[in-house]
Amino acid sequence: PLYDAEDPVTYRAAVFAADGRGIYYLSDDEDGALRLRHRGIEYADNRTITDDVGSDVLLFDLVPDGSLMAFVTGEEGSSALRLLDMKSGDHSSVEAPEGTIRQVRFSPDGRSLGLVVERADSGTGVFALDVESGEIVPWIDRIEPADDPHSHADHAHHAHGD
């Protein structure tokens, strides 16, 4: 079982592997740091995917075909974005907008990664990363807090001067 009452562990954010034979999830069960892990369903094998990352993994997303994963780590009050090649196991840093990344989500075709980034100096922004080129395009440059949280559309300033 994943849970042991004598050794409490934090679990967060689980998604099925593309082949349906395993689950990727976040857990602090080895050293107290949140790590990205994989658990096989048939054989109940557990392995840590991000054991070489020195800080907590806060969130992640997997492309629909299972070939690539994006994950975010918390580093010195900011966020770092990384892409993980699921076949080779290699991961690389991606230059993301400065701030705290609150959400990552791949497009259905896996070619773009949407990012929601909270920035202290300019509010929250929504960005798209072109996975192949590494180019980041702002979709909504700033969302200001509103009196009514359901009226964000009235307070969005689009990146292209709309």
Side-chain angles (χ1 to χ4, degrees):
L2 283 177
Y3 182 73
D4 178 352
E6 301 203 10
D7 186 21
V9 174
T10 298
Y11 295 100
R12 291 188 188 159
V15 299
F16 277 98
D19 63 8
R21 295 184 182 165
I23 297 172
Y24 293 100
Y25 63 97
L26 298 178
S27 170
D28 67 354
D29 64 348
E30 288 183 358
D31 60 3
L34 280 170
R35 302 282 184 229
L36 181 60
R37 299 181 49 84
H38 178 270
R39 180 179 175 89
I41 292 175
E42 276 184 49
Y43 303 106
D45 61 322
N46 287 312
R47 64 185 166 95
T48 303
I49 308 295
T50 58
D51 55 359
D52 61 340
V53 175
S55 52
D56 286 344
V57 177
L58 304 174
L59 51 123
F60 67 95
D61 195 33
L62 183 66
V63 296
D65 71 5
S67 64
L68 188 67
M69 182 177 285
F71 66 94
V72 175
T73 58
E75 299 179 11
E76 297 180 20
S78 193
S79 298
L81 175 63
R82 298 175 190 203
L83 294 179
L84 172 66
D85 180 305
M86 299 304 287
K87 186 175 260 186
S88 70
D90 294 334
H91 58 84
S92 57
S93 295
V94 175
E95 195 68 36
E98 197 167 319
T100 303
I101 300 172
R102 296 291 183 196
Q103 185 174 9
V104 293
R105 186 78 60 217
F106 279 104
S107 61
D109 64 8
R111 289 190 252 171
S112 296
L113 177 70
L115 308 167
V116 176
V117 181
E118 187 176 284
R119 300 167 294 175
D121 61 340
S122 57
T124 300
V126 180
F127 302 84
L129 167 70
D130 180 304
V131 173
E132 188 173 317
S133 73
E135 180 183 5
I136 293 186
V137 176
W139 280 359
I140 300 174
D141 196 26
R142 182 177 72 215
I143 301 172
E144 296 177 7
D147 293 337
D148 177 1
H150 301 291
S151 66
H152 285 300
D154 295 336
H155 298 278
H157 299 277
H158 298 277
H160 302 291
D162 296 346

